[in-house]
């Protein structure tokens, strides 16, 4: 059974210290979002990463902020409205491994601190592949499976090798890992065309 983040604790995802160990800028550099592009933040929570990406894709772009928890979507929507981003950020409720977006409809996607919560990772990644355009980029960020004072329990964490294996099985290639965060691995992958 997977472990889901409790929406009642969502303020933890927005605390100021997060910027010290998981700043947004490195993700922006990897994704390189441009005006007019479309991205999916899957398991968006209150939109820690979704909102800064939304700033980069305007005018004309979209960030689909997807989450299984309606409380997270409501908070993300509220924060987008407060920042004047409600025409860019589109909140949508995700299924456990179904994404309510058309095939090849996004230029890129990311899963931040979500992979370890998935009940069916392979089915989920196949669904992410479906919504990405060919050669579209997926970034997976998740907790290193080592003891530390914060983050999910060790037994729920997923080693990066298992994530890479699932990505390849789901039809992603060009895998690269980036050592940009002290407590998290960051894996970049592209949707192969075949
Ligand atoms: C630890 S929070 C991370 C939130 C956000 N990505 C961040 O880094 O601030 C994990 C989020 O994934 C969501 N989640 C878990 N399983 C999901 C699924 N199958 N599809 C979409 N969202 C999911 C949870 O509801 C929660 O909001």
């Amino acid at each position: 059974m997977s472990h889901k983040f409790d929406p009642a604790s969502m303020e933890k995802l927005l605390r100021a210290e997060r910027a010290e160990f998981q700043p947004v800028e490195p993700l922006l550099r990897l994704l390189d979002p441009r005006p007019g592009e479309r991205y999916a933040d899957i398991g968006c929570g209150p939109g820690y990463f979704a909102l800064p990406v939304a700033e980069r894709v305007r005018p004309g772009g979209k960030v689909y902020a997807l989450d299984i928890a309606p409380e997270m979507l409501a908070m993300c929507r509220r924060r987008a409205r407060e920042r004047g981003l409600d025409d860019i950020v589109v909140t949508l409720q995700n299924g456990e491994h179904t994404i309510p977006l058309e095939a090849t409809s996004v230029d890129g996607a990311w899963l931040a601190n979500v992979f370890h919560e998935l009940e069916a990772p392979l089915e989920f990644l196949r669904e992410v592949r479906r919504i990405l355009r060919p050669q579209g980029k997926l970034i997976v960020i998740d907790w290193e499976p080592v003891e530390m004072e914060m983050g999910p329990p060790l037994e729920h964490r997923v080693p990066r090798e298992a994530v890479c294996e699932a990505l390849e099985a789901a039809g992603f290639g060009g895998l690269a890992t980036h050592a940009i965060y002290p407590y998290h691995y960051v894996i970049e992958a592209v949707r192969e065309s075949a």
Side-chain angles (χ1 to χ4, degrees):
M1 194 57 188
S2 71
H3 159 85
K4 299 283 185 200
F5 190 88
D6 180 0
S9 303
M10 70 172 87
E11 288 301 334
K12 272 191 197 169
L13 300 169
L14 298 172
R15 67 193 194 280
E17 312 85 78
R18 182 169 179 187
E20 288 161 26
F21 64 86
Q22 198 173 62
V24 172
E25 279 300 320
L27 178 72
L28 292 176
R29 278 196 292 277
L30 279 181
L31 277 178
D32 193 23
R34 306 285 173 96
E37 289 186 332
R38 293 170 175 248
Y39 286 88
D41 179 358
I42 313 170
C44 61
Y48 176 79
F49 287 112
L51 272 44
V53 175
E55 303 269 4
R56 299 288 187 101
V57 300
R58 67 179 171 187
K62 291 276 179 241
V63 173
Y64 298 103
L66 299 132
D67 205 287
I68 206 162
E71 302 92 323
M72 294 295 200
L73 294 172
M75 178 58 114
C76 184
R77 214 162 28 242
R78 196 178 103 195
R79 297 182 67 241
R81 201 179 315 121
E82 286 166 0
R83 287 161 182 74
L85 291 167
D86 38 356
D87 57 331
I88 308 287
V89 176
V90 178
T91 56
L92 294 168
Q93 188 160 14
N94 216 53
E96 180 52 48
H97 50 81
T98 54
I99 303 174
L101 289 175
E102 299 287 316
T104 66
S105 58
V106 296
D107 296 291
W110 67 95
L111 303 175
N113 311 307
V114 176
F115 196 92
H116 69 277
E117 296 191 13
L118 300 176
E119 288 178 9
L122 188 55
E123 286 84 343
F124 187 95
L125 289 179
R126 287 192 176 124
E127 184 66 349
V128 178
R129 181 183 183 281
R130 183 188 68 77
I131 66 158
L132 273 173
R133 67 164 168 76
Q135 300 305 310
K137 198 182 274 185
L138 170 64
I139 309 283
V140 180
I141 302 170
D142 221 310
W143 293 89
E144 291 283 8
V146 293
E147 289 284 3
M148 57 183 82
E149 280 176 12
M150 56 187 160
L154 191 54
E155 63 272 22
H156 294 297
R157 299 183 186 208
V158 182
R160 66 178 73 195
E161 296 76 12
V163 178
C164 290
E165 208 174 291
L167 283 165
E168 284 177 336
F172 288 89
L175 269 56
T177 57
H178 301 278
I180 52 181
Y181 294 137
Y183 306 122
H184 296 79
Y185 51 79
V186 177
I187 303 169
E188 178 181 355
V190 293
R191 178 210 201 273
E192 296 197 319
S193 308

